[in-house]
Amino acid sequence: MVSWRRSASWLSSASRSSLGGAVGGEAKVTPEVDPAAQEVVEEEEVDEERWSRLLPELLTEIVRRVDAGAERWPLRRDVVVCACVCRRWRDAAFSVVRPPVEGGRITFPSSLKQPGPRDAPMHCFIRRDKKNSTFSLHLSLTQALTDKGKFLLAARRFRQGAHTEYVISYDYDDLHPGSTSYIGKLRSDFLGTKFIIYDSQAPYDGAKPARSRSSRRFASKQISPQVSGGNYEVGQVTYKFNFLKSRGPRRMQCSIQCPVGQGAASDLSKEKTPAPNSLDLKNKAPRWHEHLQCWCLNFHGRVTVASVKNFQLVATAGSGGPWGVGDEETVILQFGKIEDDAFTMDYRQPLSAFQAFAICLTSFGTKLACE
């Protein structure tokens, strides 16, 4: 399975790091160095320097045309390739490519933590592997409910004492908190009715990491200086108890930290992030269908199998104002079953793909106190 970590090596400037000590310093040539390999290194340096000498106007126009001609994946791989050439090409790509909230497209890994589209939901789907307790998020490439898809994120469920944790990663094959692919986690209480979402990166300037044993343990296993040393709480999901065991779907509430007026640059590391606002969500109440004898919601054909896991989230009154989603009819996130181990996930502004994926993960698992 193709992962972000492998397809987006430009994040760590792999084109330069692969050259070892011969780049960015004085290389010492020893008798053990293969002359042919040294010649290849020098040729790569010359090629990179040649590409970086393009006029800024010409470079921007090249990237703009590539971006305009790549509406969907896998064609958008060409835009990522442009960002891999060198630092100047990377900066040009970030300046041209619009974030999902404006362009409605996911291009770089940083897009997964940016708000979704403003005008229409982003169509994704989740595949579940019960045997390995893993879940993978894919971007839909066609109008079909499921297709080959573009891999976005993966998660694995772990049991930590009386709690359950979902580790979320860019890489399906590297689902460990100490890896460079780790981007966050989801942690539940003993009953599985309250979940806390953690981000591996500070959501805003001055944010403090959560203090917990798991955070300290994971930080001690850090294997790269690029990995964040802590987990930052960015949201909570709560399922209401059903003490009377009355018939009906689960009732859930969410409180998510979402940015307001985020800049258009795709490289979030270059911008100072202000403190986000809190978005309060609740599940949209279904209606009872007398003929079918079941609770129903209009998923507009995106859900085909009845399940207690299905839900639609809308903003509570007065909560979605800063993002223009204050009415209780605008569905910000919907999740539903289409096959035994396949589920659709459609999200929009102000949620990001990472936040939406974490919220949907809370729906898996039995919740006897809520049903």
Side-chain angles (χ1 to χ4, degrees), residues 29 42 51 58 156 169 171 222 242 319:
V29 180
E42 293 176 355
W51 284 107
L58 177 59
R156 175 174 291 171
S169 169
D171 193 337
Q222 185 173 328
N242 185 5
S319 173

Side-chain angles (χ1 to χ4, degrees), residues 96-340:
V96 170
V97 176
R98 311 313 299 166
V101 68
E102 297 179 14
R105 296 178 295 193
I106 292 177
T107 305
F108 303 116
S110 58
S111 304
L112 300 177
K113 289 191 177 182
Q114 293 178 322
R118 180 185 297 114
D119 300 325
M122 187 81 75
H123 289 174
C124 305
F125 61 92
I126 297 174
R127 292 196 180 278
R128 174 179 59 180
D129 184 344
K130 293 181 180 179
K131 182 179 179 180
N132 297 315
S133 298
T134 55
F135 308 84
S136 57
L137 175 65
H138 304 259
L139 177 67
S140 297
L141 302 181
T142 65
Q143 295 298 321
L145 294 180
T146 57
D147 48 37
K148 185 177 180 180
K150 164 67 177 124
F151 172 79
L152 299 179
L153 294 171
R156 175 174 291 171
R157 182 168 52 204
F158 293 92
R159 193 71 182 178
Q160 297 288 346
H163 304 273
T164 300
E165 291 189 353
Y166 295 79
V167 172
I168 305 175
S169 169
Y170 286 123
D171 193 337
Y172 187 88
D173 298 319
D174 192 8
L175 290 165
H176 301 284
S179 72
T180 56
S181 303
Y182 170 74
I183 66 168
K185 70 174 184 177
L186 178 71
R187 180 179 174 86
S188 75
D189 61 1
F190 174 71
L191 296 176
T193 57
K194 182 177 181 180
F195 297 80
I196 301 179
I197 303 172
Y198 294 95
D199 195 329
S200 64
Q201 295 179 340
Y204 59 92
D205 294 338
K208 295 182 179 180
R211 297 288 182 179
S212 67
R213 293 182 178 179
S214 59
S215 297
R216 292 194 294 270
R217 180 174 65 255
F218 293 158
S220 66
K221 294 184 179 180
Q222 185 173 328
I223 62 175
S224 169
Q226 298 178 354
V227 181
S228 174
N231 291 294
Y232 301 83
E233 183 177 337
V234 294
Q236 293 188 7
V237 181
T238 304
Y239 289 83
K240 291 186 176 181
F241 287 97
N242 185 5
F243 294 106
L244 300 179
K245 298 296 180 180
S246 57
R247 297 177 63 186
R250 297 170 177 172
R251 293 178 298 168
M252 58 188 297
Q253 292 182 337
C254 307
S255 179
I256 309 295
Q257 296 180 15
C258 300
V260 179
Q262 186 177 8
S266 297
D267 191 354
L268 300 180
S269 63
K270 293 187 176 182
E271 292 192 339
K272 290 186 176 180
T273 308
N277 285 14
S278 179
L279 171 68
D280 294 327
L281 302 172
K282 66 177 181 179
N283 63 306
K284 190 174 182 180
R287 60 181 180 84
W288 178 255
H289 197 291
E290 289 293 343
H291 179 69
L292 299 177
Q293 290 294 297
C294 65
W295 296 95
C296 295
L297 279 172
N298 185 6
F299 288 94
H300 303 282
R302 293 284 295 164
V303 177
T304 58
V305 180
S307 173
V308 71
K309 297 179 176 64
N310 301 346
F311 66 79
Q312 290 180 330
L313 294 183
V314 297
T316 60
S319 173
W323 303 276
V325 290
D327 64 283
E328 297 187 5
E329 294 301 321
T330 301
V331 176
I332 298 176
L333 170 63
Q334 75 173 21
F335 172 79
K337 192 172 185 179
I338 53 176
E339 297 175 7
D340 186 34

